[in-house]
Amino acid sequence: MLSRSLFPPLAIQIGNFFPFVWMYKFVRTMGLRGAPLQEMLPELGSLLLYVGVLSMLVIARALWEKQKLAKNATGDAPGMGATHSVGPTSTPGGGISVQGGASAPIHEPIKR
């Protein structure tokens, strides 16, 4: 880590868009200088805003994927036929069949 004062002004302005810079400023202000909370609020606010926006994006993506999976499970998606179970099923011969594949026998551990 280098001091930001060593970089040209353009690099400093670009660096202001990265959350690590805000976190570093916050820790440096709090830990090294022992500044009061009022002095640290801009960096803390920026960091919390960034985390909040990213959290909302992740939640929105998860809800979208959940909705898409639910739509596919009910067969509403175009081109979807009957729904199929996804996962291993037991067969009468003691093997495991995955979606109609060939049955594979279950082997017992070797006893010596």
Side-chain angles (χ1 to χ4, degrees):
M1 293 196 280
L2 299 171
S3 173
R4 294 181 74 210
S5 63
L6 296 174
F7 293 99
L10 180 63
I12 292 172
Q13 290 175 352
I14 292 171
N16 286 333
F17 290 103
F18 294 101
F20 182 73
V21 172
W22 309 325
M23 185 187 70
Y24 185 70
K25 280 183 183 179
F26 178 75
V27 170
R28 184 185 63 209
T29 304
M30 178 183 66
L32 297 179
R33 296 190 320 178
L37 183 63
Q38 291 83 12
E39 194 174 321
M40 297 182 287
L41 283 178
E43 287 83 18
L44 182 62
S46 299
L47 196 57
L48 289 176
L49 181 67
Y50 182 78
V51 169
V53 168
L54 280 182
S55 297
M56 286 191 297
L57 289 173
V58 167
I59 290 170
R61 176 62 188 229
L63 291 174
W64 182 68
E65 288 292 331
K66 183 179 177 183
Q67 183 181 22
K68 192 167 75 169
L69 287 173
K71 193 174 189 180
N72 286 343
T74 59
D76 291 342
M80 291 293 294
T83 59
H84 298 285
S85 63
V86 179
T89 57
S90 179
T91 59
I96 295 177
S97 174
V98 178
Q99 292 187 358
S103 176
I106 298 176
H107 297 285
E108 295 291 327
I110 299 173
K111 297 178 183 175
R112 292 182 186 216

